[in-house]
Amino acid sequence: MMVNLVGSRSGQTSENAMSEAPKMFVIQTSTEEVSVTAMDFLDAVQTWVQWGGHPTDILAIEEHDNRTTETVH
């Protein structure tokens, strides 16, 4: 099962948050793989927990940088 979530801190207005692009975190458990777009690792895990995930179920978390040099139109 693949689920996509957006982190709760992605709307930050602090100077630090504006200088960083959100990243995609893939949280893997024995029963699901969840894709979370978040500002950082903690934001990703907290978002997943808010949607019913349990930290003790986590087998692995992959972090993917969303930076690109391509222009999006």
Side-chain angles (χ1 to χ4, degrees), residues 10-29:
S10 61
Q12 286 183 344
T13 57
S14 72
E15 188 174 313
N16 185 32
M18 291 190 317
S19 67
E20 294 183 27
K23 297 177 182 179
M24 183 177 71
F25 295 84
V26 179
I27 300 173
Q28 299 174 3
T29 71

Side-chain angles (χ1 to χ4, degrees), residues 6-14 16-17 20 22 37-44 46-47 50:
V6 176
S8 58
R9 294 184 352 170
S10 61
Q12 286 183 344
T13 57
S14 72
N16 185 32
E20 294 183 27
T37 302
M39 293 307 294
D40 56 32
F41 177 85
L42 182 58
D43 185 25
Q46 287 176 339
T47 299
Q50 288 173 352

